[in-house]
């Protein structure tokens, strides 16, 4: 999180951000459902310069069997960054960060998926980050929800995700990579708009309690924008408006 020098550049006197956006604007978002033939469900998302592919397998038997739960299905999530996804080659071995993001995405998806309908089975969510530019956990979580729905897994709602943050003393929607590096706070949020429930909330940085509330409200508005595009991706696939 940076100081005043970065602050001057991040937001100009007309309230325009370093990538030309207004404070309440998301980056350009494109979501496509059902892009992989051999997975049970899949989705692809472009969120600004982030490019992420998600493939689902399951529900299927758990091996070894003692890992299964007789009362419910289990969700397993692997978030993985390709070595070429960032400017400085990423070591292909799982990093602490990837393990943490896999865990938070799993926990953010669990309230949405009706795992109790599939006791003793596992649903696997494989996330491949092809290109990263800040905000990959939110983009990946949003794509994973679409991929789970595409796999026909019963869900209570989809989780839509978007980050808000504080840049140049101003609360903004959808923090990009530069803003994440040099801004004052970054708050990724995962939200189920129909159920009005937050399933992911992290905060890197410091906010006053008023700023915290504003960040949550701004982030939820971003999630609602993402939600419409998630629904459109599924409608396009299943009701013939797309090329699938
Ligand atoms: N990043 C990188 N190398 C890494 C990990 C991350 O360049 O090994 C970049 C990448 O663009 C990522 C950004 O740093 O999107 C912010 O990472 P963070 O841990 O905040 O997670 P994210 O914002 O992607 O959810």
């Amino acid at each position: 999180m940076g100081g005043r020098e970065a602050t001057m550049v991040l937001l100009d006197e007309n309230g325009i951000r370093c990538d030309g956006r207004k404070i309440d604007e998301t980056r350009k978002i494109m979501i496509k459902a059902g892009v992989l033939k051999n997975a049970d469900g899949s989705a692809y998302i472009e969120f600004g310069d982030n490019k992420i592919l998600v493939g689902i397998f399951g529900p299927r038997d758990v091996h070894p069997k003692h890992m299964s739960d007789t009362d419910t299905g289990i969700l397993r999530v692997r978030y993985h960054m390709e070595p070429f996804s960032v400017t400085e080659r990423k070591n292909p071995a799982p990093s602490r960060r990837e393990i943490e993001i896999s865990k938070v995405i799993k926990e953010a998806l669990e309230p949405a998926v009706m795992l109790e309908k599939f006791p003793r089975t596992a649903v696997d969510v494989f996330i491949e980050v092809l290109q990263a530019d800040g905000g990959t956990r939110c983009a990946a979580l949003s794509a994973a929800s679409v991929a789970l729905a595409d796999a026909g897994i019963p869900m209570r709602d989809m989780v839509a995700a978007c980050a808000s943050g504080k840049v140049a003393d101003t609360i903004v929607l959808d923090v990009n990579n530069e803003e994440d590096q040099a801004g004052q706070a970054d708050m990724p949020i995962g939200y189920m708009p129909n159920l009005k429930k937050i399933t992911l909330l992290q905060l890197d940085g410091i906010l006053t309690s008023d700023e915290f509330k504003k960040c949550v409200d701004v982030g939820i508005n971003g999630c609602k924008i993402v939600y419409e595009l998630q629904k459109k991706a599924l409608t396009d696939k299943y009701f013939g408006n797309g090329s699938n």
Side-chain angles (χ1 to χ4, degrees):
M1 298 292 148
R4 295 199 65 81
E5 274 175 25
T7 297
M8 305 282 285
V9 185
L10 288 173
L11 196 67
D12 76 10
E13 61 283 6
N14 302 313
I16 300 298
R17 293 153 70 180
C18 58
D19 57 7
R21 282 183 292 149
K22 299 187 198 125
I23 57 170
D24 58 353
E25 218 179 311
T26 66
R27 289 169 282 182
K28 194 164 172 275
I29 307 166
M30 186 280 285
I31 311 176
K32 203 163 173 185
V35 291
L36 300 173
K37 182 173 90 162
N38 298 329
D40 293 322
S42 59
Y44 173 68
I45 189 165
E46 287 185 5
F47 202 119
D49 281 336
N50 293 297
K51 297 185 178 184
I52 302 172
L53 192 56
V54 181
I56 306 289
F57 278 115
R60 60 179 176 168
D61 287 347
V62 181
H63 296 290
K65 279 214 176 335
H66 69 83
M67 301 282 286
S68 67
D69 188 328
T70 46
D71 295 329
T72 183
I74 55 171
L75 199 60
R76 297 187 293 207
V77 175
R78 189 191 72 180
Y79 164 102
H80 177 247
M81 278 182 128
E82 298 295 341
F84 52 78
S85 63
V86 284
T87 42
E88 208 161 301
R89 179 186 174 275
K90 151 86 186 44
N91 184 327
S95 62
R96 272 180 67 120
R97 177 180 168 277
E98 284 167 301
I99 294 165
E100 178 230 318
I101 295 182
S102 301
K103 179 176 185 285
V104 297
I105 292 179
K106 171 182 165 343
E107 289 172 357
L109 288 170
E110 273 170 346
V113 183
M114 296 181 178
L115 289 163
E116 67 281 4
K117 289 196 183 288
F118 308 99
R120 297 190 183 85
T121 69
V123 175
D124 286 310
V125 180
F126 293 105
I127 297 166
E128 293 297 330
V129 179
L130 309 176
Q131 186 168 287
D133 193 42
T136 59
R137 77 193 64 203
C138 287
L141 174 54
S142 302
S145 291
V146 174
L148 283 164
D150 181 50
I153 312 262
M155 292 167 81
R156 295 179 178 85
D157 198 358
M158 279 193 292
V159 183
C162 193
S164 52
K166 184 178 170 188
V167 165
D169 297 325
T170 308
I171 303 303
V172 300
L173 180 60
D174 181 23
V175 172
N176 69 23
N177 203 21
E178 289 83 46
E179 292 171 335
D180 185 20
Q181 307 291 321
Q184 295 155 303
D186 176 28
M187 182 191 280
I189 296 180
Y191 181 68
M192 297 192 285
N194 241 354
L195 298 178
K196 298 188 171 51
K197 282 201 170 131
I198 290 176
T199 67
L200 166 75
L201 196 147
Q202 296 183 288
L203 173 61
D204 180 14
I206 295 169
L207 298 172
T208 64
S209 63
D210 281 350
E211 287 170 342
F212 182 88
K213 286 186 199 123
K214 180 138 195 234
C215 253
V216 172
D217 289 345
V218 166
I220 285 176
N221 283 339
C223 294
K224 290 178 183 167
I225 294 169
V226 173
Y227 193 58
E228 292 308 310
L229 297 168
Q230 290 175 302
K231 288 191 288 184
K232 183 177 179 304
L234 291 164
T235 314
D236 284 355
K237 184 185 170 194
Y238 288 100
F239 298 97
N241 298 321
S243 54
N244 289 299

